[in-house]
């Protein structure tokens, strides 16, 4: 049987996006039934992944049973990455998935705006200049109109600009503004093609001791005007406290290092009413709001049926509830309120499926497939209950149609399997995070399809649906087509199905440094998305740059196979930077994309497609051929950049830090946050300091103030602060212009600090011993000078250097001045 997949988009509930079939137990089903009988929604709003209060989200979802959403204005693209080298868009993909995993645990739903996390911002004025304020406000209002929250809760205080991250305050300010505009038909009227206006009842600020400065001040404060929610619930059926569930959710933020330990016992959250009517019962934010089925026309009968289902639920035989659930499902299809019809239809279908032990999955025989191909899919459906079911139709979404005659009976615990073929259309989109498909700006992602705005995840297009007749009522179910395999260690492993180009290419390096007129070899990897391809590859460069050969033919036999093509590039004599593009031609079609796989055990495998490009820089940079031992920290790509500069670099593991080992090197360099994450460094300091004392150089890159493995990070007193310069092009002043680090082997000027990316630096020391010489001074507008960006101290016969400059961002971006300055830092001993 063959079906044809068309290009289409679907608005999906986040809870339906899991790749592995959901198999709820009786306790989970009962909780879902309780939630089915609550018709109320709350939207929590903040700026970043990890800003959300998981304790409150878990309480509202699991105790109150409300539809609970978290709107994160950004995807966290501007943060640091504790688990790998991915930054910017790729980090945003990771943090998006971490939020999705967190919501699976605490029961919430996830939403985003198009705002791009461009890095730390010290005030909302700067934030709203870089973001497109109208677009972000539009997205907030769009999510409110779609989600229809009765209650909105801001994580941050809109009245305190400058006291926290500018993104934080902006999220609260925009939410506060949106509350009054979401019900105005004249505000963003184009949205009303797809949804309706809406008016939330209440807006709260989730205050806490942090906003009062200390726990002591908060304990002493008058809280009589605050709503107080007792969120320390112990869920006996789950064996966990609300705080323990919240900690598991928060611990999904692994890239940020936010592992959390759960607590138990009484606990409170406080909410300050900002707008709307005050609830009489200040322990219930839904007080006075009808959250029963009576809030929708025709809901009374549905509510009565479902109340009996909840009252009579049989934990030993959940399938006994199916006849009444099916009756309620049929009635829900007739209610006029489209919003609650959609939500409750989705919820009750999952409950019916769970009560029946219905197992339904569609598994591809491959994890990746190209457009205009045939996909083989095995469909398995098992009814593990005594309830009679028939398959009325099965096939590809959206072309599935109901048949007048049943295809098959689903007899109790007897699997129904069928192998089908899906023809993947030539026009189908490649799998990619939809917010990365179009070129955005520093402050905003570009998403032109209004209906996609707010969706959390990658839009999966290949689906299989089935229409089941259950007790005389036809109910449709659908599943994403997935790929699964058995791992000898992990067992059953699920991965999403990805639509990939016929061929992709990638450069071996992100940046190529040309220090002189000599040619340099540039290696490009070519990877096939299907069997048996023939083609050619060429590089596109500006005039005055010469590449040889002009193109290279290739043949690849097997899908997934990689080959390499090596070009020789002769640089222009003019100092500057260029972009090199890889173009692969197969069957007359040009392909110019690089496929990046992101695979961590705590999230589903992700694929990102970006232009196949690299940067080439013609520099007058001088190096002194030092041999460098690099001690990795939280993860960065600086060693690759150092090799491009011509240095010999070895990654030295902590247990390899010995006097004998280090004798082979001129410089030891620690990666970002090494003194936060490498515990062994606490016991290696004497070896490292002796290395410096004996005439060598040690370079320590930025560390945060939290959880340093040792206080003795430097041979002299040095105190790290939270000082940073976020304006990447802020003027830099030379405190000691004659110092060798600014003059040898490269003359450093103000030009070298132009066109830096995202920020100049972070976590600068603000106190240091007189042995240190500060080199640079800079500051954001309206602030006092920060002089701790680069500190150099003589220690014995060598040099100890601490720098908070963001080399980890600048070098992979090909910022020429950063390369020149780092070469001087490395050469300080010469």
């Amino acid at each position: 049987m063959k079906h044809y997949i068309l290009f289409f988009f679907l608005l999906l509930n986040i809870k339906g996006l899991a790749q592995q079939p959901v198999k709820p137990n009786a306790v989970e089903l009962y909780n879902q039934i309780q939630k089915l009988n609550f018709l109320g929604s709350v939207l929590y709003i903040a700026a970043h992944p990890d800003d959300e209060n998981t304790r409150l989200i878990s309480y509202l979802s699991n105790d109150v049973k409300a539809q609970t959403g978290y709107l994160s204005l950004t995807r966290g693209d501007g943060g640091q990455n504790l688990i790998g080298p991915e930054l910017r868009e790729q980090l945003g993909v990771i943090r998006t998935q971490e939020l999705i995993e967190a919501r699976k645990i605490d029961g919430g739903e996830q939403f985003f705006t198009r705002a791009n996390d461009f890095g730390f911002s010290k005030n909302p004025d700067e934030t709203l200049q870089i973001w497109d304020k109208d677009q972000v406000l539009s997205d907030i209002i769009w999510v409110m109109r779609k989600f229809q929250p009765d209650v909105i809760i801001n994580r941050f205080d809109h009245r305190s600009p400058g006291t926290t991250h500018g993104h934080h305050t902006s999220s609260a300010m925009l939410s506060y503004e949106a509350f009054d505009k979401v019900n105005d038909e004249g505000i963003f009227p184009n949205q009303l093609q797809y949804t309706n206006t809406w008016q939330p009842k209440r807006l709260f600020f989730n205050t806490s001791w942090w906003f009062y400065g200390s726990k002591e001040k908060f304990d002493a404060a008058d809280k009589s005007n605050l709503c107080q929610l007792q969120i320390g619930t112990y869920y006996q059926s789950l064996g966990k406290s609300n705080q323990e569930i919240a900690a598991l959710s928060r611990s999904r933020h692994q890239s940020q290092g936010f592992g959390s330990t759960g607590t138990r016992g009484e606990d409170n959250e406080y909410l300050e009413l900002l707008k709307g009517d005050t609830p009489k019962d200040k322990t219930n934010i839904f007080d006075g709001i009808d959250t029963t089925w009576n809030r929708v026309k025709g809901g009374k009968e549905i509510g009565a049926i479902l109340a009996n289902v909840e009252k009579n639920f049989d934990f030993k035989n959940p399938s006994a509830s199916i006849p009444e659930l099916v009756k309620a499902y049929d009635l829900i299809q007739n209610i006029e309120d489209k919003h609650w019809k959609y939500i409750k239809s989705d919820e009750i279908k999952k409950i019916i499926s769970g009560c029946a032990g219905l197992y339904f999955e569609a598994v591809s025989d491959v994890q990746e497939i190209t457009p205009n191909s045939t996909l083989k899919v095995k469909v398995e459906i098992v009814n593990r209950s005594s309830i009679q079911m028939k398959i009325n139709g099965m096939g590809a979404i959206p072309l599935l149609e109901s048949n007048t005659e049943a295809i098959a009976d689903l007899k109790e615990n007897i699997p129904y399997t069928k192998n089908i073929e899906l023809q993947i259309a030539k026009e189908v989109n490649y799998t990619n995070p939809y917010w990365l498909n179009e070129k955005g700006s520093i402050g905003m992602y570009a998403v032109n399809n209004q209906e996609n705005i707010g969706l959390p995840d990658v839009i999966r297009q290949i689906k299989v649906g089935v229409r089941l007749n259950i007790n005389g009522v036809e109910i449709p179910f659908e599943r994403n087509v997935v790929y699964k395999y058995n791992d000898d260690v992990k067992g059953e492993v699920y991965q999403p199905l990805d639509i990939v180009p016929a061929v992709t290419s990638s450069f071996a390096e992100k940046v190529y440094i040309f220090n002189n007129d000599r040619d340099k070899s540039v290696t490009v990897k070519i990877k096939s998305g299907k069997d048996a391809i023939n083609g050619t590859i060429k590089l596109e460069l500006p005039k005055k740059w010469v590449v040889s050969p002009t193109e290279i033919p290739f043949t690849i036999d097997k899908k997934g196979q990689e080959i390499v093509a090596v070009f020789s590039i002769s640089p222009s004599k003019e100092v500057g930077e260029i972009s090199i593009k890889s173009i692969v031609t197969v069957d007359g079609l040009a392909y110019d994309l690089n496929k990046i796989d992101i695979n961590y055990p705590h999230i589903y495998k992700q694929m990102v497609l970006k232009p196949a490009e690299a940067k080439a820089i013609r520099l007058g940079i001088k190096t002194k051929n030092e041999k460098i031992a690099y001690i990795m920290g939280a993860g960065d790509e600086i060693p690759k950049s150092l090799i491009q500069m011509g240095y010999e670099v070895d990654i030295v593991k902590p247990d390899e830090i010995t006097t004998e080992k280090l004798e082979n090197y001129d410089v030891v360099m620690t990666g970002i946050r090494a003194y936060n994450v490498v515990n062994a460094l606490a016991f290696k300091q004497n070896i490292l300091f002796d290395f410096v004392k004996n005439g060598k150089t040690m370079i320590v890159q930025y560390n945060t103030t939290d959880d340093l493995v040792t206080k003795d990070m430097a041979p002299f007193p040095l105190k790290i602060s939270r000082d940073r310069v976020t304006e990447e092009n802020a003027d830099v002043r030379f405190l000691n212009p004659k110092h060798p680090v600014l003059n040898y082997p490269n003359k450093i000027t103000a030009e070298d600090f132009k066109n830096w990316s995202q920020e100049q630096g972070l976590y600068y020391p603000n106190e240091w011993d007189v042995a240190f010489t500060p080199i640079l001074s800079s500051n954001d507008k309206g602030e006092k000078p920060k002089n701790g960006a680069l500190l150099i101290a003589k220690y014995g016969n060598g040099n100890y250097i601490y720098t908070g400059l963001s080399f980890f961002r600048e070098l992979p971006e090909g910022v020429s001045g950063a390369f020149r300055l780092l070469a001087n830092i490395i050469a300080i001993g010469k």
Side-chain angles (χ1 to χ4, degrees):
M1 159 164 143
K2 187 171 286 191
H3 302 275
Y4 289 85
I5 300 292
L6 300 179
F7 172 81
F8 70 100
F9 293 112
L10 288 175
L11 287 174
L12 299 174
N13 186 305
I14 180 60
K15 297 173 188 176
L17 291 172
Q19 307 300 329
Q20 190 168 351
V22 178
K23 306 167 189 174
N25 57 43
V27 169
E28 291 168 332
L29 287 169
Y30 182 70
N31 290 334
Q32 290 174 22
I33 291 169
Q34 288 182 309
K35 195 158 191 166
L36 187 62
N37 283 325
F38 190 96
L39 279 71
S41 303
V42 56
L43 183 64
Y44 199 88
I45 298 179
H48 309 108
D50 70 45
D51 282 345
E52 83 275 31
N53 185 339
T54 56
R55 301 189 317 166
L56 191 51
I57 290 175
S58 176
Y59 167 78
L60 292 168
S61 177
N62 297 304
D63 193 315
V64 178
K65 309 298 182 183
Q67 299 286 328
T68 307
Y70 174 45
L71 173 57
S72 175
L73 267 57
T74 75
R75 297 178 183 267
D77 328 75
Q80 284 84 50
N81 185 359
L82 197 65
I83 61 174
E86 296 89 356
L87 293 174
R88 293 302 309 145
E89 293 90 347
Q90 293 176 52
L91 176 59
V93 170
I94 292 172
R95 298 189 71 188
T96 293
Q97 293 303 313
E98 289 176 338
L99 270 183
I100 290 171
E101 294 300 320
R103 298 294 81 79
K104 291 176 186 176
I105 293 170
D106 60 35
E109 300 177 46
Q110 187 59 52
F111 306 99
F112 294 96
T113 75
R114 290 170 288 176
N116 191 339
D117 179 1
F118 56 82
F120 193 89
S121 178
K122 293 182 178 178
N123 61 73
D125 289 340
E126 180 197 48
T127 297
L128 296 176
Q129 286 176 0
I130 296 175
W131 288 350
D132 185 318
K133 178 187 173 182
D134 283 346
Q135 284 190 12
V136 181
L137 180 64
S138 168
D139 293 356
I140 293 171
I141 288 176
W142 167 256
V143 172
M144 288 181 181
R145 286 172 172 173
K146 293 290 292 183
F147 189 63
Q148 296 188 11
D150 299 300
V151 177
I152 294 170
I153 302 175
N154 288 348
R155 182 70 182 105
F156 299 103
D157 189 352
H158 69 285
R159 299 159 295 193
S160 55
T163 61
T164 182
H165 198 320
H167 296 181
H168 293 169
T169 310
S170 295
S171 71
M173 292 169 63
L174 292 171
S175 172
Y176 189 85
E177 182 177 346
F179 185 89
D180 293 327
K181 293 184 174 180
V182 65
N183 199 32
D184 187 338
E185 292 183 352
I187 302 296
F188 306 118
N190 61 300
Q191 295 180 1
L192 302 181
Q193 302 174 58
Y194 313 99
T195 188
N196 299 310
T197 57
W198 176 250
Q199 183 56 59
K201 307 297 190 299
R202 294 167 185 143
L203 173 65
F204 291 100
F205 161 46
N206 182 198
T207 190
S208 70
W209 70 264
W210 191 87
F211 296 95
Y212 282 71
S214 70
K215 292 182 178 179
E216 292 74 20
K217 290 181 180 179
F218 187 59
D219 290 341
D222 179 10
K223 304 183 188 66
S224 59
N225 291 327
L226 302 180
C227 287
Q228 180 177 333
L229 306 184
Q230 299 174 0
I231 57 91
T233 306
Y234 173 62
Y235 303 106
Q236 292 187 0
S237 60
L238 301 177
K240 292 184 178 68
S241 69
N242 184 68
Q243 303 98 311
E244 287 171 323
I245 293 173
L248 292 171
S249 171
R250 185 146 184 87
S251 296
R252 291 297 88 193
H253 297 297
Q254 293 186 18
S255 65
Q256 295 302 104
F258 282 144
S260 180
T261 299
T263 60
R264 291 143 293 279
E266 292 184 359
D267 207 350
N268 297 295
E269 286 288 338
Y270 296 90
L271 302 177
E272 176 189 353
L273 183 71
L274 301 177
K275 291 187 177 183
D277 62 313
T278 303
K280 293 180 181 179
D281 179 359
K282 292 186 178 179
T283 67
N284 176 14
I285 61 174
F286 286 97
D287 182 45
I289 300 172
D290 189 355
T291 59
T292 71
W293 274 97
N294 292 330
R295 82 179 290 173
V296 299
K297 184 179 179 181
K300 185 176 181 180
E301 184 181 357
I302 298 169
I305 293 171
L306 293 178
N308 283 329
V309 170
E310 182 178 339
K311 179 180 178 180
N312 299 316
F313 184 75
D314 186 347
F315 285 85
K316 292 184 178 180
N317 181 25
S319 64
S321 298
I322 291 178
E324 292 297 288
L325 287 167
V326 169
K327 188 184 298 182
Y329 169 83
D330 200 30
L331 290 173
I332 290 172
Q333 305 318 297
N334 297 321
I335 64 174
E336 296 176 6
D337 190 317
K338 293 181 180 179
H339 176 74
W340 286 111
K341 176 182 176 180
Y342 172 80
I343 291 174
K344 295 306 176 181
S345 293
D346 184 63
E347 286 183 359
I348 200 169
K349 285 199 300 181
K350 290 174 182 174
I351 294 169
I352 292 169
S353 174
C355 287
L358 182 68
Y359 186 91
F360 169 31
E361 70 174 11
V363 178
S364 163
D365 63 340
V366 293
Q367 196 269 315
E368 295 179 349
I369 192 157
T370 57
N372 199 27
S373 300
T374 301
L375 180 68
K376 295 180 179 179
V377 177
K378 179 181 179 181
V379 179
E380 179 182 355
I381 309 174
V382 189
N383 169 23
R384 292 179 284 189
S385 74
S386 60
I387 301 295
Q388 290 188 348
M389 295 186 190
K390 297 179 183 294
I391 300 175
N392 281 5
M394 183 179 67
I397 300 291
L399 298 183
L400 173 65
E401 295 179 357
S402 177
N403 295 329
T404 55
E405 296 182 5
I407 295 175
D409 290 332
L410 281 180
K411 297 180 180 179
E412 183 177 2
N413 213 29
I414 297 177
Y416 171 87
T417 61
K418 190 169 186 65
N419 295 318
I420 64 175
E421 290 185 349
L422 305 180
Q423 184 64 34
I424 309 301
K426 184 178 180 180
E427 300 82 10
V428 71
N429 277 1
Y430 300 135
T431 302
N432 202 40
Y434 71 89
W435 59 95
L436 299 180
N437 282 335
E438 301 164 42
K439 186 173 179 58
S441 65
I442 294 175
M444 299 297 297
Y445 284 117
V447 181
N448 293 326
N449 186 330
Q450 178 67 52
E451 292 184 278
N452 291 345
I453 292 172
L455 296 182
D457 208 354
V458 174
I459 297 170
R460 303 282 174 185
Q461 302 175 63
I462 312 303
K463 303 173 185 294
V464 167
V466 63
R467 293 185 180 274
L468 298 183
N469 185 306
I470 305 174
N471 271 21
V473 176
E474 187 177 88
I475 304 177
F477 297 88
E478 66 178 45
R479 297 289 186 270
N480 289 336
V481 176
V482 297
Y483 172 73
K484 74 175 181 179
Y485 66 94
N486 186 73
D487 182 274
D488 290 342
V489 175
K490 300 176 183 178
E492 189 176 56
V493 176
Y494 280 81
Q495 291 182 340
L497 173 69
D498 290 329
I499 312 298
V500 302
V503 63
T504 55
S505 60
S506 62
F507 288 88
E509 305 292 342
K510 290 182 179 179
V511 179
Y512 292 90
I513 304 295
F514 291 81
N515 281 341
N516 48 49
D517 294 336
R518 289 198 296 268
D519 293 356
K520 177 168 285 194
S521 293
V522 171
T523 299
V524 184
K525 298 178 183 178
I526 308 168
K527 186 173 183 178
S528 175
K530 62 181 184 179
D531 291 338
I533 64 170
N534 299 284
T536 59
I537 180 171
K538 65 179 182 179
L539 301 184
E540 284 189 355
L541 297 93
K543 294 178 180 179
K544 298 185 180 179
W545 289 70
V546 180
V547 59
S548 177
T550 54
E551 66 177 26
I552 299 175
F554 68 89
T555 298
I556 302 180
D557 296 325
K558 295 293 184 181
K559 173 183 176 179
Q561 182 179 350
E562 275 189 348
I563 63 169
V564 297
V566 180
F567 294 88
S568 178
I569 292 181
S570 176
S572 165
K573 295 186 180 298
E574 299 172 0
V575 172
E577 61 182 52
I578 64 155
S579 177
I580 314 172
K581 298 181 179 180
S582 169
I583 308 293
V584 183
T585 301
V586 175
D587 296 331
L589 298 176
Y591 297 88
D592 60 354
L593 294 175
N594 172 23
K595 185 169 82 72
I596 301 166
D597 290 322
I598 300 174
N599 210 349
Y600 288 99
H602 67 299
I603 60 175
Y604 281 116
K605 175 183 176 292
Q606 299 296 300
M607 183 183 86
V608 177
L609 294 173
K610 296 182 66 176
E613 295 178 351
K615 187 175 285 187
I617 305 176
R618 179 67 165 92
L619 284 178
I621 188 172
K622 299 174 183 176
T623 60
K624 304 305 292 184
N625 301 317
E626 290 85 356
K627 190 174 181 182
I628 301 172
Y630 199 90
I631 303 168
M632 292 298 296
D636 59 59
E637 295 188 325
I638 287 180
K640 291 183 178 180
S641 297
L642 294 172
I643 292 170
Q644 273 293 312
M645 294 170 71
Y647 296 110
E648 185 177 346
V649 182
D650 291 329
I651 305 296
V652 175
K653 297 178 181 179
D655 58 1
E656 297 175 334
I657 301 174
T658 64
T659 300
E660 293 75 21
K661 175 78 170 179
L662 296 185
E663 284 179 351
N664 300 314
Y665 300 95
D666 303 296
V667 176
V668 167
M669 191 171 185
T670 62
I672 61 173
R673 298 175 69 176
Y675 283 91
N676 297 122
V677 299
V678 183
N679 292 325
L681 283 177
F683 312 106
K684 299 292 185 178
Q685 290 301 86
N686 288 336
I687 296 172
L688 293 169
F689 293 162
D690 285 344
F691 173 82
V692 178
K693 187 183 292 185
N694 291 330
K696 304 296 183 70
T697 299
M698 182 176 180
I699 304 168
V700 177
Q701 296 184 82
Y702 97 93
N703 295 272
T704 68
T705 55
D706 302 324
D707 301 322
L708 289 167
V709 300
T710 177
K711 294 180 181 179
D712 300 320
M713 190 167 46
F716 305 106
L718 180 73
K719 183 179 179 181
I720 298 173
S721 73
R722 301 184 70 85
D723 287 351
R724 63 205 301 161
V725 177
T726 63
E727 295 171 15
E728 55 268 29
N729 288 317
D731 290 339
V732 176
R733 299 171 292 276
F734 297 159
L735 299 174
N736 197 330
K738 294 184 179 180
H739 196 284
V741 78
L742 296 176
N743 294 280
Y744 180 83
N746 304 285
K747 179 66 175 177
I748 303 300
T749 71
E751 290 295 314
D752 290 300
F753 291 92
K754 290 185 176 180
N755 300 316
W756 280 47
S757 175
Q758 186 165 319
E759 61 199 345
Q760 278 188 7
L762 61 172
Y763 293 98
Y764 292 169
N766 63 352
E767 296 180 20
W768 52 83
D769 190 85
V770 294
F772 284 102
T773 299
I775 304 298
L776 305 173
S777 178
S778 185
N779 56 271
D780 291 324
K781 290 183 180 69
E783 294 192 349
K784 294 180 179 179
K786 307 289 191 298
N787 298 340
L790 180 59
L791 302 174
I792 301 176
K794 289 293 295 184
Y795 182 64
N797 294 320
N799 292 274
Y800 176 93
I801 301 172
Y802 188 93
T803 179
L805 293 170
S806 60
F807 288 113
F808 73 105
R809 295 194 190 280
E810 312 314 322
L811 301 189
E813 291 297 320
V815 178
S816 58
F819 281 99
R820 287 165 47 81
L821 178 58
L822 185 56
N824 283 18
I825 293 172
I826 292 169
I828 194 72
K830 300 293 180 72

